[in-house]
Amino acid sequence: MTAPLSGLRVFDLTRILAGPTCTQLLGDLGADVIKIERPGQGDDTRKWGPPFVPGPDGGDTTESAYYLSANRNKRSVSIDISKPEGQALAKRLIGFCDILVENFKVGNLARYGLGYDDLKASNPGLIYCSITGFGQTGPYASRAGYDYLAQGMGGMMSLTGEADGEPVKVGIGIADIMCGMYASSAILAALHHRGMTGLGQHIDLGLLDTQVAWLSYEGSNYLTSGEVPKRQGNEHPNIVPYKVMPCADGHVIIAVGNDAQFARFCAFAGCPELAEDERFLTNASRVRNREALYALLPDITRQKPQKAWVEGLAELGVPSGPVNTVDQVFADPQVLARDMKISMPYAGSAKAEVDLIGNPIKFSETPVDYRFAPPRAGQDSDSVFEELLDIGPEERARLRGKGVI
């Protein structure tokens, strides 16, 4: 069986997180991803540590765990696109590619003759995806954009944290990651369009745009009511009870989604009268009277340990769960059963392999394919140049001597 994007090739001019997230997903789905890196430097995130991959001598390798997180299933090729010969090599390779993904500042690639308008005439089927902080247009287009800025400017930080605390960013670079996910979805749609018309196109994605898009129901709440949403800690603006609650041995998440679940929760908790209280009869009434309900629940939830709540409510179809630390996540039997932790061979590491997070997509006919561990900078230059461009050892040595590759 082959992965669903087998036979497609990606020219990857991305680094950091948003772009690499997109191209790693395309690689997991079978595309041949050629990651272009500057000779002797590579993706900045290779040095974003510690932690680094442990080496066989007890020291560290030069590859960070951060870099590993978004660069599986790629081949790394060194090209200095600031040099004319490097630009010529890049254009030749692009001619063998279906997709180009880049996250340079607006207009920077055009300086090297590698903008979309420079390439589309000779590559009419090319799908060219640009990822920037603020998109290709608008008053902020020329600004540098980062995940932290997008979370702040896009409203996410105003919604995250305790009501009486300061704005808080999400614990990982979620604006970057979601932008990469939107980019991969857009590329798949463009591939379908190309299949019908033969024509590629330019895809323009900005971190701020995608952050605003996934304000989701909180953004819709504001657009509908005119009321600005506020931080509510672990509470939900539209569902009650939906919160981390204290239990006999720690904390448990109670996530009651409808009135029937609330009645079952109350019966299990030994307080059936709450489900009959006019203040709490419906979700709408519970939302309006959330403070009163949340004042009563802690004394109730403290009566049972976490395991009793999680297992007992699960049997009744009432959502609940623990708040796992990351080590507990990767020891969870469900996570392990779903292959969300994988290991791949990795020469030069202490274990001769690295542990990575698996892809969550499960296909029945075209499974995700883990072919390549995250590559070292430029490790595939020779094989790619020989395979696609028929550039032999002598010419590669000349280009390497000039710093082109």
Side-chain angles (χ1 to χ4, degrees):
M1 292 186 289
T2 58
L5 298 186
S6 295
L8 294 172
R9 185 171 291 119
V10 180
F11 194 80
D12 181 1
L13 280 168
T14 70
R15 62 256 189 241
I16 314 300
L17 187 56
T21 295
C22 168
T23 53
Q24 175 170 270
L25 179 53
L26 299 177
D28 283 356
L29 298 181
D32 177 17
V33 179
I34 300 175
K35 182 179 177 72
I36 305 301
E37 303 191 71
R38 188 171 181 176
Q41 181 175 335
D43 192 315
D44 290 345
T45 63
R46 292 179 181 275
K47 306 299 186 291
W48 283 15
F52 295 94
V53 177
D57 59 357
D60 290 332
T61 67
T62 59
E63 310 298 340
S64 72
Y66 190 112
Y67 165 76
L68 296 184
S69 72
N71 286 285
R72 173 180 61 231
N73 278 337
K74 303 177 186 182
R75 297 194 284 173
S76 175
V77 171
S78 293
I79 301 179
D80 187 344
I81 61 170
S82 70
K83 298 182 176 181
E85 283 190 283
Q87 296 159 19
L89 279 176
K91 288 178 180 178
R92 290 176 64 188
L93 283 174
I94 291 167
F96 289 90
C97 294
D98 303 276
I99 302 156
L100 186 154
V101 187
E102 59 94 5
N103 61 350
F104 282 67
K105 289 182 181 178
V106 173
N108 274 15
L109 279 181
R111 293 165 46 201
Y112 306 134
L114 297 174
Y116 178 65
D117 289 339
D118 302 306
L119 300 172
K120 66 179 181 180
S122 56
N123 302 274
L126 181 67
I127 295 165
Y128 189 113
C129 181
S130 295
I131 297 173
T132 57
F134 301 99
Q136 302 291 305
T137 61
Y140 303 157
S142 63
R143 295 186 187 180
Y146 294 90
D147 174 272
Y148 206 163
L149 300 181
Q151 289 198 39
M153 296 177 71
M156 185 53 59
M157 290 177 63
S158 77
L159 303 175
T160 307
E162 294 299 329
D164 57 353
E166 67 177 11
V168 176
K169 71 178 181 66
V170 177
I172 59 169
I174 193 65
D176 272 340
I177 292 169
M178 287 301 297
C179 190
M181 298 292 285
Y182 274 107
S184 62
S185 179
I187 287 167
L188 296 179
L191 283 168
H192 180 66
H193 172 76
R194 191 183 73 171
M196 296 187 295
T197 67
L199 296 176
Q201 60 185 299
H202 188 201
I203 299 169
D204 170 13
L205 279 157
L207 292 183
L208 181 59
D209 296 345
T210 55
Q211 173 62 86
V212 172
W214 68 276
L215 285 176
S216 186
Y217 53 83
E218 282 285 50
S220 184
N221 286 346
Y222 164 70
L223 294 174
T224 300
S225 70
E227 296 181 11
V228 178
K230 297 179 174 59
R231 293 187 298 281
Q232 299 187 59
N234 288 315
E235 295 183 32
H236 194 289
N238 306 108
I239 307 173
V240 174
Y242 197 98
K243 190 178 181 182
V244 174
M245 303 297 297
C247 57
D249 55 355
H251 292 86
V252 62
I253 297 170
I254 304 295
V256 171
N258 57 49
D259 299 337
Q261 287 180 4
F262 183 64
R264 295 197 296 272
F265 163 77
C266 291
F268 179 78
C271 54
E273 69 279 2
L274 288 184
E276 300 173 0
D277 190 312
E278 288 186 359
R279 297 171 297 170
F280 313 134
L281 274 175
T282 66
N283 180 70
S285 62
R286 291 192 295 274
V287 169
R288 295 188 185 99
N289 296 288
R290 67 170 67 226
E291 291 184 8
L293 183 57
Y294 283 142
L296 297 171
L297 287 182
D299 287 342
I300 295 169
T301 56
R302 285 192 182 99
Q303 301 306 308
K304 301 178 191 291
Q306 183 189 84
K307 184 177 180 180
W309 284 114
V310 172
E311 294 182 355
L313 291 176
E315 291 179 1
L316 298 173
V318 179
S320 68
V323 181
N324 284 335
T325 56
V326 174
D327 58 322
Q328 291 171 326
V329 171
F330 288 110
D332 188 286
Q334 178 68 19
V335 173
L336 294 174
R338 297 286 289 175
D339 296 322
M340 290 308 299
K341 175 184 174 183
I342 64 170
S343 296
M344 297 188 72
Y346 201 80
S349 66
K351 300 189 301 180
E353 64 180 15
V354 288
D355 295 330
L356 302 171
I357 300 174
N359 190 300
I361 302 172
K362 316 299 180 188
F363 290 103
S364 65
E365 300 298 328
T366 55
V368 166
D369 185 9
Y370 301 118
R371 304 178 307 286
F372 307 123
R376 289 185 167 80
Q379 74 171 38
D380 303 296
S381 296
D382 288 349
S383 60
V384 169
F385 287 139
E386 190 157 336
E387 171 192 338
L388 297 181
L389 304 184
D390 197 25
I391 296 177
E394 291 184 5
E395 178 64 6
R396 295 199 303 270
R398 184 189 72 81
L399 293 169
R400 193 164 280 119
K402 296 180 68 175
V404 175
I405 65 173

